[in-house]
PDB file of all heavy atoms in Angstrom:
ATOM      1  N   LEU A 163     -13.279 250.020  -2.848  1.00 95.00           N
ATOM      2  CA  LEU A 163     -14.033 250.857  -3.770  1.00 95.00           C
ATOM      3  C   LEU A 163     -13.833 252.347  -3.541  1.00 95.00           C
ATOM      4  O   LEU A 163     -14.607 253.167  -4.031  1.00 95.00           O
ATOM      5  CB  LEU A 163     -15.534 250.513  -3.670  1.00 95.00           C
ATOM      6  CG  LEU A 163     -15.898 249.045  -3.934  1.00 95.00           C
ATOM      7  CD1 LEU A 163     -17.402 248.847  -3.849  1.00 95.00           C
ATOM      8  CD2 LEU A 163     -15.369 248.582  -5.292  1.00 95.00           C
ATOM      9  N   VAL A 164     -12.786 252.720  -2.801  1.00 97.00           N
ATOM     10  CA  VAL A 164     -12.490 254.123  -2.516  1.00 97.00           C
ATOM     11  C   VAL A 164     -10.996 254.357  -2.720  1.00 97.00           C
ATOM     12  O   VAL A 164     -10.173 253.570  -2.251  1.00 97.00           O
ATOM     13  CB  VAL A 164     -12.889 254.496  -1.070  1.00 97.00           C
ATOM     14  CG1 VAL A 164     -12.495 255.926  -0.746  1.00 97.00           C
ATOM     15  CG2 VAL A 164     -14.391 254.308  -0.859  1.00 97.00           C
ATOM     16  N   GLY A 165     -10.660 255.440  -3.422  1.00 98.00           N
ATOM     17  CA  GLY A 165      -9.254 255.753  -3.640  1.00 98.00           C
ATOM     18  C   GLY A 165      -8.680 256.722  -2.631  1.00 98.00           C
ATOM     19  O   GLY A 165      -7.486 256.732  -2.350  1.00 98.00           O
ATOM     20  N   GLY A 166      -9.544 257.566  -2.085  1.00 98.00           N
ATOM     21  CA  GLY A 166      -9.105 258.550  -1.100  1.00 98.00           C
ATOM     22  C   GLY A 166     -10.305 259.192  -0.451  1.00 98.00           C
ATOM     23  O   GLY A 166     -11.453 258.971  -0.858  1.00 98.00           O
ATOM     24  N   LEU A 167     -10.045 259.977   0.572  1.00 96.00           N
ATOM     25  CA  LEU A 167     -11.091 260.713   1.283  1.00 96.00           C
ATOM     26  C   LEU A 167     -10.615 262.139   1.486  1.00 96.00           C
ATOM     27  O   LEU A 167      -9.411 262.404   1.533  1.00 96.00           O
ATOM     28  CB  LEU A 167     -11.378 260.092   2.657  1.00 96.00           C
ATOM     29  CG  LEU A 167     -11.938 258.682   2.711  1.00 96.00           C
ATOM     30  CD1 LEU A 167     -11.992 258.212   4.161  1.00 96.00           C
ATOM     31  CD2 LEU A 167     -13.321 258.619   2.089  1.00 96.00           C
ATOM     32  N   PHE A 168     -11.567 263.050   1.617  1.00 93.00           N
ATOM     33  CA  PHE A 168     -11.148 264.397   1.985  1.00 93.00           C
ATOM     34  C   PHE A 168     -12.093 264.985   3.028  1.00 93.00           C
ATOM     35  O   PHE A 168     -13.231 264.550   3.196  1.00 93.00           O
ATOM     36  CB  PHE A 168     -11.027 265.305   0.763  1.00 93.00           C
ATOM     37  CG  PHE A 168     -12.321 265.794   0.162  1.00 93.00           C
ATOM     38  CD1 PHE A 168     -12.784 267.067   0.426  1.00 93.00           C
ATOM     39  CD2 PHE A 168     -13.046 264.977  -0.680  1.00 93.00           C
ATOM     40  CE1 PHE A 168     -13.960 267.528  -0.148  1.00 93.00           C
ATOM     41  CE2 PHE A 168     -14.214 265.426  -1.264  1.00 93.00           C
ATOM     42  CZ  PHE A 168     -14.676 266.695  -0.994  1.00 93.00           C
ATOM     43  N   ASN A 169     -11.525 265.949   3.747  1.00 92.00           N
ATOM     44  CA  ASN A 169     -12.196 266.648   4.849  1.00 92.00           C
ATOM     45  C   ASN A 169     -12.361 265.798   6.097  1.00 92.00           C
ATOM     46  O   ASN A 169     -13.210 266.101   6.935  1.00 92.00           O
ATOM     47  CB  ASN A 169     -13.539 267.228   4.417  1.00 92.00           C
ATOM     48  CG  ASN A 169     -13.387 268.503   3.622  1.00 92.00           C
ATOM     49  OD1 ASN A 169     -12.268 268.953   3.376  1.00 92.00           O
ATOM     50  ND2 ASN A 169     -14.484 269.089   3.196  1.00 92.00           N
ATOM     51  N   LEU A 170     -11.546 264.757   6.228  1.00 94.00           N
ATOM     52  CA  LEU A 170     -11.471 264.050   7.507  1.00 94.00           C
ATOM     53  C   LEU A 170     -10.284 264.632   8.261  1.00 94.00           C
ATOM     54  O   LEU A 170      -9.152 264.607   7.770  1.00 94.00           O
ATOM     55  CB  LEU A 170     -11.284 262.557   7.289  1.00 94.00           C
ATOM     56  CG  LEU A 170     -11.170 261.709   8.563  1.00 94.00           C
ATOM     57  CD1 LEU A 170     -12.427 261.831   9.410  1.00 94.00           C
ATOM     58  CD2 LEU A 170     -10.897 260.244   8.208  1.00 94.00           C
ATOM     59  N   LYS A 171     -10.532 265.167   9.433  1.00 93.00           N
ATOM     60  CA  LYS A 171      -9.481 265.880  10.172  1.00 93.00           C
ATOM     61  C   LYS A 171      -9.145 265.155  11.465  1.00 93.00           C
ATOM     62  O   LYS A 171     -10.032 264.728  12.201  1.00 93.00           O
ATOM     63  CB  LYS A 171      -9.931 267.314  10.470  1.00 93.00           C
ATOM     64  CG  LYS A 171      -8.831 268.181  11.086  1.00 93.00           C
ATOM     65  CD  LYS A 171      -9.254 269.638  11.175  1.00 93.00           C
ATOM     66  CE  LYS A 171      -8.115 270.492  11.705  1.00 93.00           C
ATOM     67  NZ  LYS A 171      -8.464 271.924  11.772  1.00 93.00           N
ATOM     68  N   GLY A 172      -7.867 265.049  11.736  1.00 95.00           N
ATOM     69  CA  GLY A 172      -7.403 264.428  12.968  1.00 95.00           C
ATOM     70  C   GLY A 172      -6.610 263.171  12.687  1.00 95.00           C
ATOM     71  O   GLY A 172      -7.119 262.227  12.058  1.00 95.00           O
ATOM     72  N   VAL A 173      -5.363 263.124  13.143  1.00 97.00           N
ATOM     73  CA  VAL A 173      -4.477 262.022  12.779  1.00 97.00           C
ATOM     74  C   VAL A 173      -4.982 260.688  13.326  1.00 97.00           C
ATOM     75  O   VAL A 173      -4.847 259.647  12.662  1.00 97.00           O
ATOM     76  CB  VAL A 173      -3.038 262.312  13.248  1.00 97.00           C
ATOM     77  CG1 VAL A 173      -2.944 262.397  14.772  1.00 97.00           C
ATOM     78  CG2 VAL A 173      -2.069 261.272  12.696  1.00 97.00           C
ATOM     79  N   ALA A 174      -5.589 260.682  14.499  1.00 96.00           N
ATOM     80  CA  ALA A 174      -6.090 259.414  15.056  1.00 96.00           C
ATOM     81  C   ALA A 174      -7.239 258.871  14.212  1.00 96.00           C
ATOM     82  O   ALA A 174      -7.320 257.667  13.948  1.00 96.00           O
ATOM     83  CB  ALA A 174      -6.527 259.611  16.496  1.00 96.00           C
ATOM     84  N   LYS A 175      -8.131 259.744  13.763  1.00 94.00           N
ATOM     85  CA  LYS A 175      -9.245 259.316  12.915  1.00 94.00           C
ATOM     86  C   LYS A 175      -8.730 258.805  11.576  1.00 94.00           C
ATOM     87  O   LYS A 175      -9.203 257.780  11.053  1.00 94.00           O
ATOM     88  CB  LYS A 175     -10.210 260.483  12.696  1.00 94.00           C
ATOM     89  CG  LYS A 175     -10.822 261.033  13.970  1.00 94.00           C
ATOM     90  CD  LYS A 175     -11.624 262.291  13.671  1.00 94.00           C
ATOM     91  CE  LYS A 175     -12.089 262.955  14.950  1.00 94.00           C
ATOM     92  NZ  LYS A 175     -12.831 264.213  14.677  1.00 94.00           N
ATOM     93  N   ILE A 176      -7.775 259.535  11.006  1.00 96.00           N
ATOM     94  CA  ILE A 176      -7.226 259.132   9.714  1.00 96.00           C
ATOM     95  C   ILE A 176      -6.506 257.799   9.830  1.00 96.00           C
ATOM     96  O   ILE A 176      -6.623 256.928   8.952  1.00 96.00           O
ATOM     97  CB  ILE A 176      -6.296 260.236   9.176  1.00 96.00           C
ATOM     98  CG1 ILE A 176      -7.146 261.422   8.696  1.00 96.00           C
ATOM     99  CG2 ILE A 176      -5.392 259.717   8.060  1.00 96.00           C
ATOM    100  CD1 ILE A 176      -6.358 262.645   8.283  1.00 96.00           C
ATOM    101  N   ARG A 177      -5.805 257.594  10.908  1.00 97.00           N
ATOM    102  CA  ARG A 177      -5.119 256.307  11.107  1.00 97.00           C
ATOM    103  C   ARG A 177      -6.129 255.161  11.169  1.00 97.00           C
ATOM    104  O   ARG A 177      -5.912 254.094  10.586  1.00 97.00           O
ATOM    105  CB  ARG A 177      -4.268 256.346  12.380  1.00 97.00           C
ATOM    106  CG  ARG A 177      -3.403 255.098  12.554  1.00 97.00           C
ATOM    107  CD  ARG A 177      -2.568 255.153  13.830  1.00 97.00           C
ATOM    108  NE  ARG A 177      -1.768 253.954  13.966  1.00 97.00           N
ATOM    109  CZ  ARG A 177      -0.547 253.782  13.479  1.00 97.00           C
ATOM    110  NH1 ARG A 177       0.035 254.777  12.823  1.00 97.00           N
ATOM    111  NH2 ARG A 177       0.103 252.654  13.647  1.00 97.00           N
ATOM    112  N   ASP A 178      -7.235 255.372  11.866  1.00 94.00           N
ATOM    113  CA  ASP A 178      -8.276 254.349  11.948  1.00 94.00           C
ATOM    114  C   ASP A 178      -8.806 253.971  10.571  1.00 94.00           C
ATOM    115  O   ASP A 178      -8.994 252.794  10.257  1.00 94.00           O
ATOM    116  CB  ASP A 178      -9.448 254.852  12.811  1.00 94.00           C
ATOM    117  CG  ASP A 178      -9.192 254.703  14.293  1.00 94.00           C
ATOM    118  OD1 ASP A 178      -8.162 254.092  14.654  1.00 94.00           O
ATOM    119  OD2 ASP A 178     -10.018 255.194  15.085  1.00 94.00           O
ATOM    120  N   VAL A 179      -9.061 254.990   9.749  1.00 95.00           N
ATOM    121  CA  VAL A 179      -9.618 254.735   8.422  1.00 95.00           C
ATOM    122  C   VAL A 179      -8.569 254.111   7.506  1.00 95.00           C
ATOM    123  O   VAL A 179      -8.877 253.199   6.727  1.00 95.00           O
ATOM    124  CB  VAL A 179     -10.181 256.037   7.816  1.00 95.00           C
ATOM    125  CG1 VAL A 179     -10.682 255.805   6.403  1.00 95.00           C
ATOM    126  CG2 VAL A 179     -11.319 256.575   8.683  1.00 95.00           C
ATOM    127  N   GLN A 180      -7.328 254.576   7.599  1.00 97.00           N
ATOM    128  CA  GLN A 180      -6.265 253.969   6.795  1.00 97.00           C
ATOM    129  C   GLN A 180      -6.099 252.495   7.147  1.00 97.00           C
ATOM    130  O   GLN A 180      -5.862 251.656   6.260  1.00 97.00           O
ATOM    131  CB  GLN A 180      -4.948 254.722   7.016  1.00 97.00           C
ATOM    132  CG  GLN A 180      -3.802 254.312   6.107  1.00 97.00           C
ATOM    133  CD  GLN A 180      -3.986 254.790   4.685  1.00 97.00           C
ATOM    134  OE1 GLN A 180      -4.864 254.292   3.962  1.00 97.00           O
ATOM    135  NE2 GLN A 180      -3.166 255.742   4.264  1.00 97.00           N
ATOM    136  N   LYS A 181      -6.264 252.185   8.394  1.00 97.00           N
ATOM    137  CA  LYS A 181      -6.144 250.787   8.839  1.00 97.00           C
ATOM    138  C   LYS A 181      -7.207 249.919   8.175  1.00 97.00           C
ATOM    139  O   LYS A 181      -6.941 248.768   7.813  1.00 97.00           O
ATOM    140  CB  LYS A 181      -6.263 250.725  10.362  1.00 97.00           C
ATOM    141  CG  LYS A 181      -5.973 249.349  10.947  1.00 97.00           C
ATOM    142  CD  LYS A 181      -5.970 249.405  12.473  1.00 97.00           C
ATOM    143  CE  LYS A 181      -5.635 248.020  13.044  1.00 97.00           C
ATOM    144  NZ  LYS A 181      -5.605 248.041  14.526  1.00 97.00           N
ATOM    145  N   LEU A 182      -8.408 250.454   8.004  1.00 95.00           N
ATOM    146  CA  LEU A 182      -9.458 249.708   7.313  1.00 95.00           C
ATOM    147  C   LEU A 182      -9.024 249.346   5.902  1.00 95.00           C
ATOM    148  O   LEU A 182      -9.221 248.215   5.437  1.00 95.00           O
ATOM    149  CB  LEU A 182     -10.740 250.540   7.234  1.00 95.00           C
ATOM    150  CG  LEU A 182     -11.596 250.698   8.483  1.00 95.00           C
ATOM    151  CD1 LEU A 182     -12.792 251.589   8.170  1.00 95.00           C
ATOM    152  CD2 LEU A 182     -12.063 249.340   8.987  1.00 95.00           C
ATOM    153  N   ALA A 183      -8.455 250.320   5.199  1.00 97.00           N
ATOM    154  CA  ALA A 183      -8.045 250.091   3.817  1.00 97.00           C
ATOM    155  C   ALA A 183      -6.892 249.103   3.731  1.00 97.00           C
ATOM    156  O   ALA A 183      -6.883 248.197   2.887  1.00 97.00           O
ATOM    157  CB  ALA A 183      -7.653 251.413   3.158  1.00 97.00           C
ATOM    158  N   VAL A 184      -5.907 249.268   4.588  1.00 98.00           N
ATOM    159  CA  VAL A 184      -4.677 248.492   4.491  1.00 98.00           C
ATOM    160  C   VAL A 184      -4.855 247.073   5.027  1.00 98.00           C
ATOM    161  O   VAL A 184      -4.314 246.111   4.462  1.00 98.00           O
ATOM    162  CB  VAL A 184      -3.541 249.211   5.248  1.00 98.00           C
ATOM    163  CG1 VAL A 184      -2.292 248.354   5.312  1.00 98.00           C
ATOM    164  CG2 VAL A 184      -3.225 250.542   4.577  1.00 98.00           C
ATOM    165  N   GLU A 185      -5.633 246.926   6.091  1.00 97.00           N
ATOM    166  CA  GLU A 185      -5.721 245.632   6.760  1.00 97.00           C
ATOM    167  C   GLU A 185      -7.010 244.860   6.456  1.00 97.00           C
ATOM    168  O   GLU A 185      -7.055 243.648   6.650  1.00 97.00           O
ATOM    169  CB  GLU A 185      -5.571 245.821   8.274  1.00 97.00           C
ATOM    170  CG  GLU A 185      -4.226 246.441   8.653  1.00 97.00           C
ATOM    171  CD  GLU A 185      -4.027 246.568  10.154  1.00 97.00           C
ATOM    172  OE1 GLU A 185      -4.785 245.909  10.904  1.00 97.00           O
ATOM    173  OE2 GLU A 185      -3.112 247.320  10.562  1.00 97.00           O
ATOM    174  N   ASN A 186      -8.046 245.555   5.967  1.00 96.00           N
ATOM    175  CA  ASN A 186      -9.330 244.874   5.772  1.00 96.00           C
ATOM    176  C   ASN A 186      -9.730 244.712   4.310  1.00 96.00           C
ATOM    177  O   ASN A 186     -10.652 243.958   4.010  1.00 96.00           O
ATOM    178  CB  ASN A 186     -10.451 245.623   6.507  1.00 96.00           C
ATOM    179  CG  ASN A 186     -10.328 245.506   8.019  1.00 96.00           C
ATOM    180  OD1 ASN A 186      -9.262 245.232   8.534  1.00 96.00           O
ATOM    181  ND2 ASN A 186     -11.422 245.715   8.727  1.00 96.00           N
ATOM    182  N   SER A 187      -9.100 245.435   3.389  1.00 97.00           N
ATOM    183  CA  SER A 187      -9.461 245.286   1.977  1.00 97.00           C
ATOM    184  C   SER A 187      -8.619 244.170   1.343  1.00 97.00           C
ATOM    185  O   SER A 187      -7.561 243.805   1.864  1.00 97.00           O
ATOM    186  CB  SER A 187      -9.271 246.595   1.220  1.00 97.00           C
ATOM    187  OG  SER A 187      -7.895 246.921   1.088  1.00 97.00           O
ATOM    188  N   ARG A 188      -9.063 243.661   0.222  1.00 97.00           N
ATOM    189  CA  ARG A 188      -8.427 242.502  -0.407  1.00 97.00           C
ATOM    190  C   ARG A 188      -6.971 242.772  -0.781  1.00 97.00           C
ATOM    191  O   ARG A 188      -6.091 241.941  -0.535  1.00 97.00           O
ATOM    192  CB  ARG A 188      -9.215 242.093  -1.655  1.00 97.00           C
ATOM    193  CG  ARG A 188      -8.735 240.799  -2.306  1.00 97.00           C
ATOM    194  CD  ARG A 188      -9.610 240.419  -3.482  1.00 97.00           C
ATOM    195  NE  ARG A 188      -9.320 241.214  -4.664  1.00 97.00           N
ATOM    196  CZ  ARG A 188      -8.408 240.905  -5.588  1.00 97.00           C
ATOM    197  NH1 ARG A 188      -7.682 239.813  -5.446  1.00 97.00           N
ATOM    198  NH2 ARG A 188      -8.216 241.668  -6.647  1.00 97.00           N
ATOM    199  N   LEU A 189      -6.687 243.934  -1.369  1.00 98.00           N
ATOM    200  CA  LEU A 189      -5.339 244.233  -1.839  1.00 98.00           C
ATOM    201  C   LEU A 189      -4.555 245.148  -0.909  1.00 98.00           C
ATOM    202  O   LEU A 189      -3.364 245.366  -1.110  1.00 98.00           O
ATOM    203  CB  LEU A 189      -5.415 244.862  -3.232  1.00 98.00           C
ATOM    204  CG  LEU A 189      -5.935 243.942  -4.345  1.00 98.00           C
ATOM    205  CD1 LEU A 189      -6.066 244.694  -5.659  1.00 98.00           C
ATOM    206  CD2 LEU A 189      -5.034 242.725  -4.517  1.00 98.00           C
ATOM    207  N   GLY A 190      -5.212 245.702   0.100  1.00 98.00           N
ATOM    208  CA  GLY A 190      -4.501 246.524   1.074  1.00 98.00           C
ATOM    209  C   GLY A 190      -3.946 247.817   0.510  1.00 98.00           C
ATOM    210  O   GLY A 190      -2.904 248.305   0.964  1.00 98.00           O
ATOM    211  N   ILE A 191      -4.621 248.394  -0.482  1.00 98.00           N
ATOM    212  CA  ILE A 191      -4.139 249.630  -1.097  1.00 98.00           C
ATOM    213  C   ILE A 191      -4.438 250.809  -0.176  1.00 98.00           C
ATOM    214  O   ILE A 191      -5.592 251.011   0.215  1.00 98.00           O
ATOM    215  CB  ILE A 191      -4.794 249.847  -2.470  1.00 98.00           C
ATOM    216  CG1 ILE A 191      -4.428 248.699  -3.419  1.00 98.00           C
ATOM    217  CG2 ILE A 191      -4.357 251.186  -3.071  1.00 98.00           C
ATOM    218  CD1 ILE A 191      -5.164 248.736  -4.743  1.00 98.00           C
ATOM    219  N   PRO A 192      -3.442 251.608   0.197  1.00 98.00           N
ATOM    220  CA  PRO A 192      -3.680 252.734   1.118  1.00 98.00           C
ATOM    221  C   PRO A 192      -4.489 253.835   0.450  1.00 98.00           C
ATOM    222  O   PRO A 192      -4.568 253.935  -0.774  1.00 98.00           O
ATOM    223  CB  PRO A 192      -2.269 253.212   1.455  1.00 98.00           C
ATOM    224  CG  PRO A 192      -1.431 252.776   0.301  1.00 98.00           C
ATOM    225  CD  PRO A 192      -2.018 251.494  -0.193  1.00 98.00           C
ATOM    226  N   LEU A 193      -5.079 254.682   1.271  1.00 98.00           N
ATOM    227  CA  LEU A 193      -5.905 255.796   0.821  1.00 98.00           C
ATOM    228  C   LEU A 193      -5.101 257.089   0.807  1.00 98.00           C
ATOM    229  O   LEU A 193      -4.169 257.269   1.587  1.00 98.00           O
ATOM    230  CB  LEU A 193      -7.099 255.993   1.757  1.00 98.00           C
ATOM    231  CG  LEU A 193      -8.100 254.850   1.887  1.00 98.00           C
ATOM    232  CD1 LEU A 193      -9.087 255.154   3.008  1.00 98.00           C
ATOM    233  CD2 LEU A 193      -8.843 254.620   0.579  1.00 98.00           C
TER     234      LEU A 193
END
């Protein structure tokens, strides 16, 4: 239910959140 995020800073944090979208959502659509 989210297409993207903004104002999240830090590559490690962004990787964690991208992993949620890619590995935990039904279609695995990246943010």
Side-chain angles (χ1 to χ4, degrees):
L163 303 182
V164 176
L167 296 173
F168 75 101
N169 282 1
L170 179 60
K171 187 172 184 178
V173 64
K175 300 173 187 178
I176 287 173
R177 187 180 180 89
D178 279 353
V179 176
Q180 188 73 290
K181 188 174 182 179
L182 285 179
V184 173
E185 299 183 16
N186 290 22
S187 69
R188 187 177 77 89
L189 294 176
I191 298 173
L193 298 172

